Amino acid sequence: MKKRFGMRIAAFAMAGLLAISEFAAAGESILYAKENEQEDTAESEDFVITTPKDWNCTWDPDTHTVTIKDYEGSAKKIIVPKTMSAENDPNPYQVIFRELNSNTVTDVSFEQGVKLATNASYAFSCVTLENLDLTGLDTSGTTDMSWMFYNCLKLETLDLFGMDTSSVTNMQAMFSRCSALVNLNLTGINTSAVTRMDEMFSYCSALTKLDLSGFDTKKVSNFSEMFYECQEIEELDLSAFDSSGTSGANNPYGNMFSHCVNLQTIYATDKFSTKDSGIVPLAVFDSCVKLTGGKGTKYSEISSTVGTGFPYSSKYGRIDGGPDSPGYFTKAPITEIGDWDYTGGGENDTTVILTGYIGEMEHIVIPATMQIENKEYQVILREVNSAYLTSIKIAKGVKAATDSSDMFSACNNLTKLDVSGLDTSG
């Protein structure tokens, strides 16, 4: 009897221990679930529409605008509204965004119609910023975008498609030290009024490519350090660049490409050169150890003789002409009228219709306009008709012919085709 009683006590004790163990395990599960729930809540934090109390506000009752800067709110994901109301005035004031100036915000977007200030220098300089949606921002009145995204260390993607920059004159250091930036869309950017591009992409050490085909640089007087420390870029196409605006400027190309250690090819035309800057040749290509010109001139083989023979000298910023005229640039494969069979192009015409490529280049760019005896004609592409070509890029503004059948049908060796610039509306 005592033995059975003892066995029962042991059984009850064991059951109790199991129950306690299960209870403890259940408690840990509940605690773990709550911790996960808190983490999920933090990760899925909703966007918050900001109010005047979140900003340093300057109210202008005459223009009924409020200029905001220096975000002081607690939300990390914010929306900037188009209008705000003052305490003693219920009427809405148009919001003008000046500067974020925050070390906590991760995500920013704008309601449609928010205006960017005339001076947008350092507007989004924020080390914690991860996502930025600029589609609602009106930039038509902005003239200064210098240092605009400076030191956005966590920003990996930035899309400026559709941004109105027609009034901007200063883009100095615009993307400087965006060291995590991998995807940068500059499609449609208007740089026709810009005079400064120095340090524009400096220290963008993660960028592997840049599409600068839409850049107009005729008024730019300073290109110094423009691509400084862009360590991952292997190729730069500067075929749209024009250096005529640097005439008389002091050192306008200093270290423009320096420390682009993986840069191998720079495409350019005769309109862009660093060799005639009007000063003693200075460092432009320092540490561009892989750079090679179109006719084989290598940075690594240029004489290191004291003086202008240094391989980083500005004198080599020209189309490579071989041993007699060495340079680091490769002639951009932009076709001219002599490379094509064509119709049109007469005295009373405004267009030229391309009907077949007869040039010698394997990789070509078809420009939007071509010259015949100093007269400019709009290019209409009818047919390429070449088995020789391996790569074709169509510049923005080239028009497709009304009948575009068989446009590329004869291009048997074509491996790369970029038609993003082709206007097919007609």
Side-chain angles (χ1 to χ4, degrees):
M1 184 70 177
K2 287 181 180 179
K3 186 176 181 180
R4 289 182 181 176
F5 183 70
M7 291 175 64
R8 286 178 182 176
I9 291 175
F12 280 128
M14 183 63 71
L17 287 172
L18 288 171
I20 292 171
S21 177
E22 290 174 359
F23 180 78
E28 288 179 2
S29 297
I30 292 170
L31 181 60
Y32 180 75
K34 284 185 176 180
E35 288 176 349
N36 278 354
E37 185 179 341
Q38 290 173 352
E39 289 177 5
D40 290 343
T41 300
E43 290 176 0
S44 61
E45 178 186 347
D46 291 331
F47 276 83
V48 173
I49 298 177
T50 59
T51 64
K53 65 182 178 61
D54 297 319
W55 300 92
N56 179 343
C57 299
T58 302
W59 303 88
D60 188 339
D62 294 330
T63 60
H64 238 66
T65 59
V66 54
T67 300
I68 62 173
K69 64 177 184 177
D70 305 338
Y71 179 72
E72 299 171 349
S74 58
K76 293 183 178 181
K77 298 181 178 182
I78 64 171
I79 298 173
V80 179
K82 178 183 178 181
T83 60
M84 289 182 179
S85 296
E87 286 185 11
N88 301 320
D89 187 348
N91 295 313
Y93 279 60
Q94 166 70 55
V95 170
I96 299 175
F97 180 82
R98 171 59 188 92
E99 186 178 356
L100 181 60
N101 192 23
S102 167
N103 289 325
T104 59
V105 171
T106 60
D107 297 67
V108 179
S109 66
F110 295 85
E111 286 186 356
Q112 194 69 37
V114 176
K115 293 183 180 296
L116 186 63
T118 302
N119 180 3
S121 183
Y122 293 97
F124 299 103
S125 178
C126 176
V127 295
T128 57
L129 193 60
E130 297 177 11
N131 298 290
L132 181 59
D133 183 354
L134 300 169
T135 53
L137 194 60
D138 178 0
T139 60
S140 59
T142 304
T143 60
D144 189 346
M145 289 187 174
S146 63
W147 309 90
M148 189 171 174
F149 305 100
Y150 174 73
N151 215 32
C152 289
L153 302 179
K154 293 188 175 182
L155 200 60
E156 297 180 3
T157 298
L158 186 58
D159 188 353
L160 304 189
F161 177 75
M163 179 180 282
D164 186 348
T165 58
S166 57
S167 298
V168 178
T169 59
N170 190 352
M171 289 186 173
Q172 179 193 13
M174 189 173 176
F175 308 99
S176 181
R177 295 191 182 274
C178 290
S179 55
L181 193 59
V182 176
N183 301 304
L184 177 59
N185 185 4
L186 298 171
T187 305
I189 290 295
N190 185 338
T191 62
S192 60
V194 176
T195 60
R196 295 192 64 174
M197 288 187 177
D198 45 314
E199 303 177 73
M200 190 172 180
F201 304 101
S202 63
Y203 298 99
C204 288
S205 52
L207 273 178
T208 58
K209 59 182 179 180
L210 272 172
D211 184 357
L212 306 174
S213 58
F215 272 39
D216 180 343
T217 66
K218 294 185 186 70
K219 292 184 179 179
V220 177
S221 60
N222 194 343
F223 292 98
S224 62
E225 298 188 24
M226 186 173 182
F227 305 103
Y228 188 83
E229 291 268 2
C230 288
Q231 297 178 355
E232 296 301 318
I233 287 182
E234 297 180 359
E235 177 182 299
L236 281 172
D237 185 351
L238 307 186
S239 55
F241 277 39
D242 185 324
S243 56
S244 57
T246 63
S247 178
N250 182 28
N251 192 22
Y253 310 106
N255 288 307
M256 183 175 179
F257 306 98
S258 290
H259 297 280
C260 292
V261 293
N262 282 304
L263 184 60
Q264 300 172 31
T265 307
I266 301 173
Y267 290 105
T269 69
D270 292 330
K271 292 182 178 180
F272 184 78
S273 169
T274 69
K275 68 182 182 67
D276 296 321
S277 57
I279 56 172
V280 175
L282 296 176
V284 174
F285 302 96
D286 191 15
S287 300
C288 295
V289 293
K290 295 183 179 181
L291 190 56
T292 302
K295 291 195 174 180
T297 299
K298 295 181 181 295
Y299 177 96
S300 58
E301 296 176 1
I302 290 289
S303 170
S304 294
T305 307
V306 175
T308 59
F310 278 120
Y312 50 70
S313 170
S314 59
K315 67 179 279 188
Y316 299 114
R318 60 185 175 187
I319 303 296
D320 188 11
D324 294 334
S325 181
Y328 293 141
F329 294 168
T330 298
K331 184 175 176 59
I334 298 176
T335 59
E336 300 174 348
I337 197 63
D339 297 316
W340 294 88
D341 285 329
Y342 65 93
T343 61
E347 184 178 346
N348 298 320
D349 294 324
T350 58
T351 63
V352 58
I353 303 172
L354 307 182
T355 57
Y357 178 71
I358 56 174
E360 298 180 353
M361 296 182 291
E362 294 181 18
H363 311 277
I364 66 168
V365 176
I366 303 175
T369 62
M370 289 185 181
Q371 281 192 345
I372 302 175
E373 296 181 356
N374 297 322
K375 182 179 178 180
E376 201 99 340
Y377 293 86
Q378 165 68 55
V379 168
I380 297 176
L381 181 60
R382 170 63 186 87
E383 190 174 355
V384 176
N385 193 25
S386 172
Y388 182 68
L389 290 169
T390 59
S391 173
I392 301 173
K393 180 177 181 178
I394 299 178
K396 183 179 180 181
V398 174
K399 295 182 181 295
T402 303
D403 179 4
S404 295
S405 59
D406 299 319
M407 181 179 282
F408 304 104
S409 64
C411 301
N412 301 330
N413 291 310
L414 200 61
T415 59
K416 186 177 181 181
L417 177 61
D418 181 353
V419 295
S420 58
L422 186 63
D423 179 359
T424 59
S425 60

